[in-house]
Amino acid sequence: MKLGSHVGNKGKEMLVGAVKEAINYKANCFMVYLGAPQNSYRKKLEDLNIPSFQELLKEHGINKHDVIVHAPYIVNLAQPNDVKRQFAIDFITNEVKRTYAIGAKYIVVHPGATLNLGIDKGLEKIADSIKVILHNTKETDVEILIETMSGKGSEACYRFEQIKTIIDIVDSPRINVCFDTCHTFDSGYDLVDNYDEVISEFDRIIGIEKIKVIHLNDSKNILGSRKDRHANIGFGNIGFDTLHKICKDKRFDSIPKILETPYVQDYPPYKFEIEMLKEGQFNQNLYNDIEKYYEK
Ligand code: FE
Ligand code: FE
Ligand code: ZN
C-alpha cells in the first residue's frame, strides 16, 4: 500500500526535512510544495538540499517517483487576462523544471478558475496554457496531473468530462490526473454508495490508467456541496470504510495516496491516520491519541 501525506519543505533542512517527516509518519510516499503554495517567492534550487535529499530517499527505500510535487495554487491557468495568464504559465513552467531538478516525476496542478469566461472558453485557456508549459519543459519527463476539483466558485474540472476535454486538446502522454476524494465527493460523485460506479465512470470517460496520484481526504461537507473542506479520515461524510476501500483497491496498488487532512490542535494527524488505514481499523480516539502523543 503506497500511503503518505503532504509534508513540510522549509527551514534549513528543506527537502531533507520533508523526508524525515515522512519517515516519522511511516509513509512510503509524500507530497511537497517547492515554495509557499500561496505566493510566488521561490528559494534557489541550491538551497533545497537536493543531493542529501536524494541520498536519504535511497537510504529509506523511497522511490523518487513517489515524491509528488504540488504546484502553488495562486496562479490561474484559465486567467482571461493575457498578461496574468503569461505569468501563470511562466511560473508553472519554472515549477515543472524544479520538479525535474529534485528528481520527481509528477506535479499536481489545480486547473484554474474560469471567472467570467464560462466553462468552455475556460477549459480551452487551461489546455492552451498546459500545452505551452509542456512545450517549455520538453527536455523533462515530468507529468502534469490535473486535480479533480470540487467546483467551488468558478473552479474548472469538477466533472470528469471537463478533465477529458483538456486532456484531448493537450494530447500528450505527459498530462494525467490526480484524483482527490474530498473534491470528487463534494462535486457530486457518490464514492460512499456508488464507489464502483464512480470509478467505472472515470474509466469510461478518462481512463483509469490516467490516475497517477490519489489525494485521500475525508470531507466536512455533504455529497454535491461543492465546498472543498477536508476532514480527518473517518471524521467526515465519506467515512473510514470508503477511504480504506480505496487504499485496498488492487487497481490503485502502485498509486501514491496522499493525505491532506487538517491538523488536530496544531498537530499533524498523519502518523495516526496512516496507521489506522494500514490496520484497517477506525480509531474513534484519534484526536485524543494525537494530542497525547504530541503533548508529552
Ligand atoms: Fe490540490
Ligand atoms: Fe487535493
Ligand atoms: Zn481541497
Side-chain angles (χ1 to χ4, degrees), residues 1 179 181 191 195 199 214-217 238 240-253 257:
M1 191 190 293
F179 189 101
T181 57
L191 290 168
Y195 174 70
I199 301 301
I214 292 175
H215 282 171
L216 198 75
N217 302 306
I238 300 177
F240 183 81
D241 290 347
T242 298
L243 294 165
H244 180 246
K245 188 171 10 176
I246 297 173
C247 285
K248 284 280 172 193
D249 193 323
K250 282 269 171 296
R251 297 169 291 184
F252 301 132
D253 242 3
K257 291 155 214 85

Side-chain angles (χ1 to χ4, degrees), residues 31 33 70 73 108-110 147 149 180 183 215 230 260:
M31 184 171 79
Y33 286 91
H70 198 306
Y73 41 74
V108 176
V109 174
H110 290 187
E147 184 161 352
M149 302 307 285
D180 186 307
H183 298 173
H215 282 171
H230 304 183
E260 306 171 290

